[in-house]
PDB file of all heavy atoms in Angstrom:
ATOM      1  N   ILE A  85      77.535  67.670 130.246  1.00  0.00           N
ATOM      2  CA  ILE A  85      76.093  67.435 130.369  1.00  0.00           C
ATOM      3  C   ILE A  85      75.657  66.628 129.156  1.00  0.00           C
ATOM      4  O   ILE A  85      76.054  66.949 128.009  1.00  0.00           O
ATOM      5  CB  ILE A  85      75.292  68.772 130.439  1.00  0.00           C
ATOM      6  CG1 ILE A  85      75.800  69.603 131.604  1.00  0.00           C
ATOM      7  CG2 ILE A  85      73.801  68.501 130.512  1.00  0.00           C
ATOM      8  CD1 ILE A  85      75.221  70.992 131.673  1.00  0.00           C
ATOM      9  N   HIS A  86      74.833  65.572 129.354  1.00  0.00           N
ATOM     10  CA  HIS A  86      74.540  64.655 128.287  1.00  0.00           C
ATOM     11  C   HIS A  86      73.073  64.747 127.850  1.00  0.00           C
ATOM     12  O   HIS A  86      72.191  65.123 128.617  1.00  0.00           O
ATOM     13  CB  HIS A  86      74.832  63.211 128.739  1.00  0.00           C
ATOM     14  CG  HIS A  86      76.285  62.991 129.046  1.00  0.00           C
ATOM     15  ND1 HIS A  86      77.201  62.625 128.149  1.00  0.00           N
ATOM     16  CD2 HIS A  86      76.965  63.094 130.248  1.00  0.00           C
ATOM     17  CE1 HIS A  86      78.397  62.476 128.705  1.00  0.00           C
ATOM     18  NE2 HIS A  86      78.259  62.773 130.004  1.00  0.00           N
ATOM     19  N   GLY A  87      72.832  64.273 126.600  1.00  0.00           N
ATOM     20  CA  GLY A  87      71.473  64.065 126.120  1.00  0.00           C
ATOM     21  C   GLY A  87      70.701  65.241 125.596  1.00  0.00           C
ATOM     22  O   GLY A  87      70.925  66.358 126.017  1.00  0.00           O
ATOM     23  N   ASP A  88      69.851  64.983 124.597  1.00  0.00           N
ATOM     24  CA  ASP A  88      69.050  66.034 123.993  1.00  0.00           C
ATOM     25  C   ASP A  88      67.629  66.018 124.578  1.00  0.00           C
ATOM     26  O   ASP A  88      66.792  66.829 124.199  1.00  0.00           O
ATOM     27  CB  ASP A  88      68.988  65.900 122.463  1.00  0.00           C
ATOM     28  CG  ASP A  88      68.209  64.667 122.021  1.00  0.00           C
ATOM     29  OD1 ASP A  88      68.022  63.762 122.811  1.00  0.00           O
ATOM     30  OD2 ASP A  88      67.813  64.674 120.847  1.00  0.00           O
ATOM     31  N   ARG A  89      67.315  65.110 125.505  1.00  0.00           N
ATOM     32  CA  ARG A  89      66.009  64.961 126.152  1.00  0.00           C
ATOM     33  C   ARG A  89      64.906  64.649 125.134  1.00  0.00           C
ATOM     34  O   ARG A  89      63.724  64.873 125.417  1.00  0.00           O
ATOM     35  CB  ARG A  89      65.664  66.220 126.946  1.00  0.00           C
ATOM     36  CG  ARG A  89      66.582  66.552 128.107  1.00  0.00           C
ATOM     37  CD  ARG A  89      66.562  65.441 129.152  1.00  0.00           C
ATOM     38  NE  ARG A  89      67.373  65.795 130.303  1.00  0.00           N
ATOM     39  CZ  ARG A  89      68.655  65.452 130.468  1.00  0.00           C
ATOM     40  NH1 ARG A  89      69.239  64.750 129.517  1.00  0.00           N
ATOM     41  NH2 ARG A  89      69.302  65.796 131.571  1.00  0.00           N
ATOM     42  N   THR A  90      65.329  64.142 123.961  1.00  0.00           N
ATOM     43  CA  THR A  90      64.356  63.763 122.932  1.00  0.00           C
ATOM     44  C   THR A  90      64.601  62.381 122.391  1.00  0.00           C
ATOM     45  O   THR A  90      63.705  61.565 122.306  1.00  0.00           O
ATOM     46  CB  THR A  90      64.381  64.763 121.765  1.00  0.00           C
ATOM     47  OG1 THR A  90      64.119  66.057 122.245  1.00  0.00           O
ATOM     48  CG2 THR A  90      63.364  64.402 120.684  1.00  0.00           C
ATOM     49  N   TYR A  91      65.859  62.096 122.038  1.00  0.00           N
ATOM     50  CA  TYR A  91      66.183  60.840 121.411  1.00  0.00           C
ATOM     51  C   TYR A  91      67.409  60.155 121.980  1.00  0.00           C
ATOM     52  O   TYR A  91      67.372  59.026 122.430  1.00  0.00           O
ATOM     53  CB  TYR A  91      66.355  61.025 119.890  1.00  0.00           C
ATOM     54  CG  TYR A  91      66.615  59.717 119.161  1.00  0.00           C
ATOM     55  CD1 TYR A  91      65.572  58.889 118.783  1.00  0.00           C
ATOM     56  CD2 TYR A  91      67.901  59.320 118.816  1.00  0.00           C
ATOM     57  CE1 TYR A  91      65.757  57.712 118.103  1.00  0.00           C
ATOM     58  CE2 TYR A  91      68.140  58.113 118.172  1.00  0.00           C
ATOM     59  CZ  TYR A  91      67.061  57.329 117.784  1.00  0.00           C
ATOM     60  OH  TYR A  91      67.306  56.138 117.151  1.00  0.00           O
ATOM     61  N   ALA A  92      68.569  60.865 121.974  1.00  0.00           N
ATOM     62  CA  ALA A  92      69.783  60.170 122.384  1.00  0.00           C
ATOM     63  C   ALA A  92      70.864  61.191 122.821  1.00  0.00           C
ATOM     64  O   ALA A  92      70.689  62.411 122.701  1.00  0.00           O
ATOM     65  CB  ALA A  92      70.345  59.343 121.203  1.00  0.00           C
ATOM     66  N   ASP A  93      71.976  60.671 123.311  1.00  0.00           N
ATOM     67  CA  ASP A  93      73.154  61.494 123.622  1.00  0.00           C
ATOM     68  C   ASP A  93      74.182  61.295 122.495  1.00  0.00           C
ATOM     69  O   ASP A  93      74.813  60.276 122.429  1.00  0.00           O
ATOM     70  CB  ASP A  93      73.751  61.044 124.974  1.00  0.00           C
ATOM     71  CG  ASP A  93      74.981  61.883 125.362  1.00  0.00           C
ATOM     72  OD1 ASP A  93      74.966  63.087 125.063  1.00  0.00           O
ATOM     73  OD2 ASP A  93      75.915  61.322 125.915  1.00  0.00           O
ATOM     74  N   ASP A  94      74.296  62.309 121.674  1.00  0.00           N
ATOM     75  CA  ASP A  94      75.190  62.208 120.500  1.00  0.00           C
ATOM     76  C   ASP A  94      76.629  62.407 120.996  1.00  0.00           C
ATOM     77  O   ASP A  94      76.997  63.442 121.570  1.00  0.00           O
ATOM     78  CB  ASP A  94      74.839  63.312 119.516  1.00  0.00           C
ATOM     79  CG  ASP A  94      75.586  63.174 118.215  1.00  0.00           C
ATOM     80  OD1 ASP A  94      76.653  62.548 118.203  1.00  0.00           O
ATOM     81  OD2 ASP A  94      75.076  63.685 117.200  1.00  0.00           O
ATOM     82  N   LYS A  95      77.473  61.405 120.787  1.00  0.00           N
ATOM     83  CA  LYS A  95      78.877  61.464 121.238  1.00  0.00           C
ATOM     84  C   LYS A  95      79.797  62.347 120.407  1.00  0.00           C
ATOM     85  O   LYS A  95      80.884  62.636 120.782  1.00  0.00           O
ATOM     86  CB  LYS A  95      79.434  60.030 121.300  1.00  0.00           C
ATOM     87  CG  LYS A  95      78.624  59.038 122.133  1.00  0.00           C
ATOM     88  CD  LYS A  95      78.458  59.495 123.546  1.00  0.00           C
ATOM     89  CE  LYS A  95      77.654  58.475 124.376  1.00  0.00           C
ATOM     90  NZ  LYS A  95      77.413  58.924 125.757  1.00  0.00           N
ATOM     91  N   ALA A  96      79.286  62.754 119.244  1.00  0.00           N
ATOM     92  CA  ALA A  96      80.087  63.646 118.382  1.00  0.00           C
ATOM     93  C   ALA A  96      79.959  65.094 118.841  1.00  0.00           C
ATOM     94  O   ALA A  96      80.761  65.914 118.405  1.00  0.00           O
ATOM     95  CB  ALA A  96      79.669  63.508 116.932  1.00  0.00           C
ATOM     96  N   MET A  97      78.977  65.385 119.625  1.00  0.00           N
ATOM     97  CA  MET A  97      78.780  66.749 120.154  1.00  0.00           C
ATOM     98  C   MET A  97      78.826  66.674 121.686  1.00  0.00           C
ATOM     99  O   MET A  97      78.102  65.910 122.297  1.00  0.00           O
ATOM    100  CB  MET A  97      77.390  67.285 119.713  1.00  0.00           C
ATOM    101  CG  MET A  97      77.143  68.751 120.133  1.00  0.00           C
ATOM    102  SD  MET A  97      78.003  69.927 119.097  1.00  0.00           S
ATOM    103  CE  MET A  97      76.988  69.874 117.616  1.00  0.00           C
ATOM    104  N   VAL A  98      79.721  67.457 122.266  1.00  0.00           N
ATOM    105  CA  VAL A  98      79.874  67.489 123.716  1.00  0.00           C
ATOM    106  C   VAL A  98      79.580  68.888 124.229  1.00  0.00           C
ATOM    107  O   VAL A  98      79.717  69.886 123.499  1.00  0.00           O
ATOM    108  CB  VAL A  98      81.269  67.057 124.124  1.00  0.00           C
ATOM    109  CG1 VAL A  98      81.560  65.582 123.704  1.00  0.00           C
ATOM    110  CG2 VAL A  98      82.360  67.956 123.526  1.00  0.00           C
ATOM    111  N   GLY A  99      79.215  68.955 125.454  1.00  0.00           N
ATOM    112  CA  GLY A  99      78.956  70.260 126.045  1.00  0.00           C
ATOM    113  C   GLY A  99      78.786  70.164 127.586  1.00  0.00           C
ATOM    114  O   GLY A  99      78.523  69.097 128.111  1.00  0.00           O
ATOM    115  N   GLY A 100      78.957  71.288 128.209  1.00  0.00           N
ATOM    116  CA  GLY A 100      78.867  71.330 129.647  1.00  0.00           C
ATOM    117  C   GLY A 100      79.330  72.670 130.213  1.00  0.00           C
ATOM    118  O   GLY A 100      79.655  73.563 129.437  1.00  0.00           O
ATOM    119  N   MET A 101      79.389  72.788 131.508  1.00  0.00           N
ATOM    120  CA  MET A 101      79.739  74.034 132.170  1.00  0.00           C
ATOM    121  C   MET A 101      81.113  73.931 132.828  1.00  0.00           C
ATOM    122  O   MET A 101      81.473  72.860 133.308  1.00  0.00           O
ATOM    123  CB  MET A 101      78.665  74.435 133.177  1.00  0.00           C
ATOM    124  CG  MET A 101      77.391  74.897 132.542  1.00  0.00           C
ATOM    125  SD  MET A 101      76.189  75.522 133.752  1.00  0.00           S
ATOM    126  CE  MET A 101      75.606  74.026 134.475  1.00  0.00           C
ATOM    127  N   GLY A 102      81.819  75.060 132.832  1.00  0.00           N
ATOM    128  CA  GLY A 102      83.081  75.125 133.519  1.00  0.00           C
ATOM    129  C   GLY A 102      83.431  76.583 133.772  1.00  0.00           C
ATOM    130  O   GLY A 102      82.888  77.475 133.154  1.00  0.00           O
ATOM    131  N   LYS A 103      84.332  76.822 134.715  1.00  0.00           N
ATOM    132  CA  LYS A 103      84.716  78.198 135.071  1.00  0.00           C
ATOM    133  C   LYS A 103      86.071  78.586 134.463  1.00  0.00           C
ATOM    134  O   LYS A 103      87.049  77.875 134.613  1.00  0.00           O
ATOM    135  CB  LYS A 103      84.776  78.332 136.582  1.00  0.00           C
ATOM    136  CG  LYS A 103      83.391  78.306 137.255  1.00  0.00           C
ATOM    137  CD  LYS A 103      83.479  78.715 138.697  1.00  0.00           C
ATOM    138  CE  LYS A 103      82.073  78.795 139.328  1.00  0.00           C
ATOM    139  NZ  LYS A 103      82.116  79.265 140.710  1.00  0.00           N
ATOM    140  N   ILE A 104      86.062  79.729 133.789  1.00  0.00           N
ATOM    141  CA  ILE A 104      87.287  80.274 133.235  1.00  0.00           C
ATOM    142  C   ILE A 104      87.598  81.527 134.022  1.00  0.00           C
ATOM    143  O   ILE A 104      86.889  82.517 133.947  1.00  0.00           O
ATOM    144  CB  ILE A 104      87.155  80.627 131.738  1.00  0.00           C
ATOM    145  CG1 ILE A 104      86.678  79.422 130.936  1.00  0.00           C
ATOM    146  CG2 ILE A 104      88.473  81.160 131.198  1.00  0.00           C
ATOM    147  CD1 ILE A 104      86.436  79.691 129.448  1.00  0.00           C
ATOM    148  N   ASN A 105      88.643  81.478 134.835  1.00  0.00           N
ATOM    149  CA  ASN A 105      89.000  82.579 135.741  1.00  0.00           C
ATOM    150  C   ASN A 105      87.840  83.014 136.589  1.00  0.00           C
ATOM    151  O   ASN A 105      87.544  84.212 136.755  1.00  0.00           O
ATOM    152  CB  ASN A 105      89.552  83.773 134.929  1.00  0.00           C
ATOM    153  CG  ASN A 105      91.029  83.559 134.561  1.00  0.00           C
ATOM    154  OD1 ASN A 105      91.509  82.450 134.574  1.00  0.00           O
ATOM    155  ND2 ASN A 105      91.685  84.639 134.195  1.00  0.00           N
ATOM    156  N   GLY A 106      87.052  82.060 137.104  1.00  0.00           N
ATOM    157  CA  GLY A 106      85.932  82.381 137.973  1.00  0.00           C
ATOM    158  C   GLY A 106      84.629  82.628 137.310  1.00  0.00           C
ATOM    159  O   GLY A 106      83.600  82.644 137.975  1.00  0.00           O
ATOM    160  N   GLN A 107      84.638  82.837 135.973  1.00  0.00           N
ATOM    161  CA  GLN A 107      83.380  83.088 135.254  1.00  0.00           C
ATOM    162  C   GLN A 107      82.888  81.789 134.636  1.00  0.00           C
ATOM    163  O   GLN A 107      83.615  81.107 133.883  1.00  0.00           O
ATOM    164  CB  GLN A 107      83.603  84.115 134.169  1.00  0.00           C
ATOM    165  CG  GLN A 107      82.470  84.278 133.185  1.00  0.00           C
ATOM    166  CD  GLN A 107      81.177  84.749 133.825  1.00  0.00           C
ATOM    167  OE1 GLN A 107      81.192  85.731 134.585  1.00  0.00           O
ATOM    168  NE2 GLN A 107      80.080  84.058 133.573  1.00  0.00           N
ATOM    169  N   THR A 108      81.649  81.399 134.938  1.00  0.00           N
ATOM    170  CA  THR A 108      81.077  80.192 134.370  1.00  0.00           C
ATOM    171  C   THR A 108      80.707  80.391 132.913  1.00  0.00           C
ATOM    172  O   THR A 108      80.130  81.398 132.515  1.00  0.00           O
ATOM    173  CB  THR A 108      79.805  79.797 135.152  1.00  0.00           C
ATOM    174  OG1 THR A 108      80.128  79.580 136.507  1.00  0.00           O
ATOM    175  CG2 THR A 108      79.215  78.502 134.559  1.00  0.00           C
ATOM    176  N   PHE A 109      81.134  79.380 132.080  1.00  0.00           N
ATOM    177  CA  PHE A 109      80.802  79.389 130.636  1.00  0.00           C
ATOM    178  C   PHE A 109      80.095  78.059 130.317  1.00  0.00           C
ATOM    179  O   PHE A 109      80.404  77.035 130.923  1.00  0.00           O
ATOM    180  CB  PHE A 109      82.056  79.477 129.781  1.00  0.00           C
ATOM    181  CG  PHE A 109      82.634  80.853 129.618  1.00  0.00           C
ATOM    182  CD1 PHE A 109      83.389  81.450 130.616  1.00  0.00           C
ATOM    183  CD2 PHE A 109      82.369  81.590 128.472  1.00  0.00           C
ATOM    184  CE1 PHE A 109      83.940  82.687 130.473  1.00  0.00           C
ATOM    185  CE2 PHE A 109      82.892  82.844 128.296  1.00  0.00           C
ATOM    186  CZ  PHE A 109      83.655  83.419 129.315  1.00  0.00           C
ATOM    187  N   MET A 110      79.183  78.111 129.339  1.00  0.00           N
ATOM    188  CA  MET A 110      78.659  76.888 128.767  1.00  0.00           C
ATOM    189  C   MET A 110      79.527  76.627 127.530  1.00  0.00           C
ATOM    190  O   MET A 110      79.553  77.428 126.566  1.00  0.00           O
ATOM    191  CB  MET A 110      77.195  77.043 128.354  1.00  0.00           C
ATOM    192  CG  MET A 110      76.557  75.767 127.770  1.00  0.00           C
ATOM    193  SD  MET A 110      76.411  74.472 128.975  1.00  0.00           S
ATOM    194  CE  MET A 110      74.948  75.023 129.911  1.00  0.00           C
TER     195      MET A 110
END
Side-chain angles (χ1 to χ4, degrees):
I85 303 173
H86 298 272
D88 69 342
R89 298 296 185 266
T90 301
Y91 182 82
D93 180 36
D94 190 336
K95 304 303 181 183
M97 184 76 75
V98 296
M101 289 186 285
K103 289 191 175 183
I104 306 177
N105 280 19
Q107 170 61 50
T108 300
F109 279 80
M110 183 67 78

